[in-house]
Amino acid sequence: MKKIQLDITKAAQFLNAETLAAYEPQVKAAQEALEKGTCPGNDFLGWLHLPSSVTSEFIAELNATAQVLRDNCEVVVVAGIGGSYLGARTVIEALSNSFQWLLNDKKNPVILFAGNNIGEDYLSEMCAYLSGKKFGVINISKSGTTTETALAFRLLKKQCEEQRGKDMARKVIVVVTDAKKGAARTTADKEGYKSFIIPDNVGGRFSVLTPVGLLPIAVAGFDIAQLVAGAADMEKATASDVPFLENPSAVYAACRNALYADGKKIEILVNFQPKLHYLNEWWKQLFGESEGKDHKGIFPAAVDFTTDLHSMGQWIQDGERTIFETVISIEQPNNTLLFPSDEENLDGLNFLAGKRIDEVNKMAELGTQLAHVDGGVPNIRLSVPVLNEYYLGQIIYFFEKACGISGNLLDVNTFNQPGVEAYKKNMFALLNKPGYEKESEAIRARLKK
Ligand code: PA5
């Protein structure tokens, strides 16, 4: 099996050779701290050897539950936010037909996502769409108390029970949560829902290879065994006994930190395939929530090219030189489409006749890389043979491992997210949540000023 390939030459040319080489001992130490569990946040390292520890029996159990949902639902709503949603959406959108929504193929349920916002229009339009449909729900929350998800789940549970009856609802509602704690666990136990456990030592944004990601991906009809196999191969390729220059996660972590130290404060993840939009979102969360701490951290931004070349392209080419790009390049599309010849050639495009659309895309990609490098933007490239479960598994683990190493290099606790609590505290105080009386009083006094 081929591997995804990392190429840092167009980034390294912006650094002097010694700078990058100097990272080797630091990266080794950062990786060792991760592998030996001596780094901050070491009670959340369960993801490190997750791919190699997923058993075929567990995959079979997940597939069996997925089949119950597939057999009984035309629509499945995945309720979750942040790490409890982005990984599943990344894989499902990368592998689904771009027009899955409109296909009505009857083979696969339509997958919807909820619980990741508090938009009243979004939720009411979703409830209206579900009205009269045979739908099921996967409720995903590690804490089991996240407001966005709990709010959506209450609506979905009620509608599912009313539409499908309590017995069927019990069959088509599945919960992925903590083994013991949280309201989602209490509800699952009380209602007798099938449930899967999110291991204590795996944080949300590192949880796509647990049932958090695997169950929805299986329900959507994709091969989770291959996803895990790809991740397991990348686990081997990035293990501590692999020499620094052969370990793509270590080299990527070193390169981005060297660029950061050189004033490149923003990393832009780039794709040239619209199906990878949610990989951008997942990656932004992985690095943003892991590294943005103690007033430090590369700001993770993302664009979809060529679409965004017509919006952000100007800024990237000519704006402040504080950015670098990491480009995900898919070598072979899954479809073939040739550009047709036209006798009249009114659009002047006959020079493209007979070429694959992807050849045009690849020249756009190469042209963009040359232009951006000329414009002073270091370019890292991750080349992926083809978009399938196996290589997505490799990509996921490659970035997770790089993030773990990179966070240690930056000297932050990669695995916590204390900053996320600030808005929640204010929101609960403003909504008069029981237990927040003191905060409520203080915030109202502050708003009166
Ligand atoms: O990475 C994280 O830990 C977070 O993004 C969580 O996944 C997110 O806040 C959702 O939390 P929960 O699964 O507890 O509902």
Side-chain angles (χ1 to χ4, degrees), residues 81-84 140-144 146 149 203-205 285 289 417 424:
I81 192 166
S84 287
I140 308 177
S141 177
K142 185 170 183 196
S143 62
T146 300
T149 307
R205 58 194 173 274
Q285 191 216 355
E289 218 166 64
Q417 52 283 327
K424 290 187 195 166

Side-chain angles (χ1 to χ4, degrees), residues 74-75 101 110 112 124-133 159:
E74 48 189 329
V75 182
W101 258 94
V110 170
L112 296 185
S124 70
E125 284 159 14
M126 182 188 68
C127 292
Y129 171 79
L130 293 173
S131 168
K133 294 208 166 54
Q159 186 168 348

